[in-house]
Amino acid sequence: MPLAILALAVSAFGIGTTEFMMMGLLPDVAGDLGTSVPTAGYLVSAYALGVVVGAPLLTALGARIPRRRMLLLLMALFTAGNAFSAVAPGYGTLLAGRFLAGLPHGAFFGVGAVVAARLVAEDRRARAVASMFLGLTIANIVGVPAATLLGQHLGWRATFLVVTAIGLLSLAALALLVPQEPDEERTGVGQELRALREPQVLLGLLTAVFGFAGVFAVYSYLASMMTEVTGYADGTVTVLLALFGIGMTLGALAAGPLTDRALRPTLYGSLAALAVVLVGFHYAAQSKATAPVAVLVLGAVGFMTTTPLTMLVMNKARRAPTLASASNHSAFNLANAGGAWLGGAAISAGWGWTSPALVGAVLAVVGLAIAVVAGGRDRAAPAAPVAAAPAAAHRESAAVEGP
């Protein structure tokens, strides 16, 4: 893989650490700022809201900016948001800092996915995108636990300073390793918006919202399930969360080559497997012997959906894939919020701590149904004639969906 993809993966590591580290820092932040833990929990929501708003907005605003420069601007904004969070004097300013840090998240991964795909041969595009996402999964293995420990011993502000340093390192790596694209690779806002209105792109985004919500219906309450149901001590939860991150990494490694070989079958298979695993998780969480295996497998099959979903919307957007790819991350964060809400509603209704797994299984089945409907539309649609286009645009229009 080109070294530019390593720069993208390092950036993804910093973004992934920032996104998830707040969950482990909530008690420390709440105590230091004189607020309650539930109120501090809105700091997680502020970041997610920043992602949902920033992904389409910043991508559209930067449609005419060369992608290498856009990556640098987005990483600079991310770094500034974390630096601002580190010195925030109160809860309100920290809330603003979290929102600011979340704004470039989706746009960065959207632009980065297009850049990564264009750095390699056609038959290795999904592997390149999956390699970038490895930084995100490794953040859950190393970055988030390390950030939690650092915050507990040196204070939560030190954690934000370290992530700021990672942002500066990422800026240097992107500037040195990511090549400048030719002028003809740029697209306009109108072209990006037209691509986003494609029915198959919208169906892909809808698949992401429902399918990935099944993962977050469980992940949002994983710590409580492991302590309240399985019987693990609080200190063991960090290890289990790292185990989930290992599963995510294994899923990303498997998804790349499988998606390059056959996109839709990989998507169908991963969503179907996710539904089955979620049902099994409901029962496996009852035992200390089976719960760790269930956590690992859930991370793997859950994250296997991200690469085919990303490649699907990029392929369907064809000549203007950047906004569609960025919007996919808005869809993932809507899935995050929706899955957490539905899982919490099931617990509040008295269905039990593991009931979110069954809710998640239903969501995964809905996502699979949407994906199958979209696949049927593909098979029913007549082949479109190939219009004259620049070479770069023609390369982008090729699909890697398989049978």
Side-chain angles (χ1 to χ4, degrees), residues 31-57:
D32 186 52
L33 298 181
T35 188
S36 67
V37 171
T39 300
Y42 290 124
L43 295 167
V44 177
S45 302
Y47 186 93
L49 181 61
V51 178
V52 173
V53 172
L57 179 63

Side-chain angles (χ1 to χ4, degrees), residues 57-73:
L57 179 63
L58 295 182
T59 305
L61 290 175
R64 300 299 299 175
I65 300 175
R67 291 193 177 99
R68 176 177 176 274
R69 186 183 304 167
M70 187 64 179
L71 288 172
L72 291 170
L73 290 172

Side-chain angles (χ1 to χ4, degrees), residues 243-255 270 274 277 293-306:
L243 196 60
F244 185 88
I246 292 172
M248 291 172 65
T249 302
L250 295 175
L253 288 170
S270 60
L274 177 59
V277 168
V293 177
V295 170
L296 177 70
V297 175
L298 177 61
V301 297
F303 209 78
M304 275 189 69
T305 62
T306 58

